[in-house]
Amino acid sequence: MLDAPDTAVLAVNLGTPETPTAPAVRRYLAEFLSDPRVVSIPALLWQPLLRGLILPLRSGRSAAKYALVWLPEGSPLMVHTRRLAEAMQALLPSLRVRHAMRYGAPALTAELDRLAAEGVRRIVVLPLYPQYSTTTTASIEDRVDDWQRRHPGITISLVQDYSVDPDWVAAVAGSIQRYWQQHGRGQKLVFSFHGIPQRLADAGDPYPQRCEASAQAIAKALGLAADEWQLGYQSRFGRERWLQPYAEPSLWALAEAGVKQIDVVCPGFATDCLETLEEVAMGFTETLAERGAQMRYIPCLNAEPEHARALARLAVASLA
């Protein structure tokens, strides 16, 4: 068994407001949308627009959406991320396993500071983004690199991507199979990934290729033929072109073509959150019902044992 009391694993998710209220959402969005990896518009142009128009308009609307999915223990993303870290800790008793958020609390740099103060000298940073993107994993890497320059005595390794990791693929496929065993199988399985602007992919962001590789690997593990599944991208923002096909219109097209029962899974998200629960499980289901089709949402892996085991193995492999 690995024995490394000076070593830690830090699982990092995107982040969440602390409460489903407009002020809390505004604070969260202000940090998130000020990251140049997320919005590349020069700050002199972007910040007046963000703070004068976008935040006042979006904060209340987003807070109402968060309230629809909020759990008694807090934000779904926070609750599931904490439970996932706890499950990993049980599998790695000789290491310290913590969780952090890129935006909001517990803040990534604050958790790194805490680990350093506890005497940790090796840290595996595990972004909870299976598919690498400059908008997500690279943003965490920016913050980690800046922190490490100020702490040269601490070694950090960052897991860049696990989009086709066999254990992770098996965990996702297994969760889908268990859902089908309990609820029956739909006519089509749709993989819905968070989108990014097309210009980023054109500039070399490998994210769409990583998403496609994940979907193909999971479909292969499930033994699906090419016509039994498809891929789409959700969560567009703004007017520019994002990765296509867009998930929701693709689902509408399936319904209009006579596909009446569709299963949707979101393997780009490690844990359920606003985008999977409100946008997909609630929103997509409602608009498909209006078109005469039934959609069933298959939950994220969250803190399932197979998920924790896959990520624990990734962390140990990174240490090697």
Side-chain angles (χ1 to χ4, degrees), residues 30-94:
E31 182 182 3
F32 173 53
L33 295 176
S34 294
D35 184 348
R37 288 286 193 179
V38 176
V39 179
S40 57
I41 301 171
L44 284 176
L45 298 175
W46 174 241
Q47 285 297 321
L49 178 62
L50 173 65
R51 297 180 185 278
L53 181 64
I54 293 174
L55 292 178
L57 287 176
R58 289 195 64 185
S59 298
R61 296 175 188 172
S62 294
K65 293 179 179 180
Y66 275 105
L68 293 174
V69 301
W70 211 257
L71 299 174
E73 308 97 311
S75 161
L77 182 141
M78 180 64 72
V79 171
H80 294 308
T81 301
R82 183 176 64 246
R83 290 174 180 170
L84 176 59
E86 290 168 352
M88 292 173 63
Q89 179 68 85
L91 295 169
L92 301 170
S94 64

Side-chain angles (χ1 to χ4, degrees), residues 240-263:
E240 69 176 310
R241 185 169 180 260
W242 281 44
L243 295 180
Q244 295 188 42
Y246 298 140
E248 192 170 26
S250 297
L251 291 167
W252 298 345
L254 286 174
E256 290 160 4
V259 181
K260 296 305 178 185
Q261 191 172 71
I262 305 167
D263 297 331

Side-chain angles (χ1 to χ4, degrees), residues 237-299:
F237 174 71
R239 297 182 178 179
E240 69 176 310
R241 185 169 180 260
W242 281 44
L243 295 180
Q244 295 188 42
Y246 298 140
E248 192 170 26
S250 297
L251 291 167
W252 298 345
L254 286 174
E256 290 160 4
V259 181
K260 296 305 178 185
Q261 191 172 71
I262 305 167
D263 297 331
V264 177
V265 66
C266 297
F269 298 86
T271 62
D272 277 310
C273 56
L274 183 72
E275 288 79 7
T276 66
L277 298 174
E278 190 278 332
E279 182 181 3
V280 176
M282 294 180 179
F284 287 10
T285 299
E286 181 179 353
T287 60
L288 270 178
E290 293 169 356
R291 290 161 174 80
Q294 179 191 27
M295 193 203 93
R296 291 107 53 88
Y297 171 65
I298 301 173

Side-chain angles (χ1 to χ4, degrees), residues 19 21-28 59 63:
T19 61
T21 62
V25 171
R26 181 171 184 143
R27 288 193 297 272
Y28 168 71
S59 298

Side-chain angles (χ1 to χ4, degrees), residues 115-135:
L115 290 170
E118 293 176 4
V120 168
R121 290 296 171 261
R122 290 195 301 168
I123 304 172
V124 175
V125 174
L126 176 60
L128 295 177
Y129 310 126
Q131 300 82 23
Y132 175 91
S133 172
T134 58
T135 63

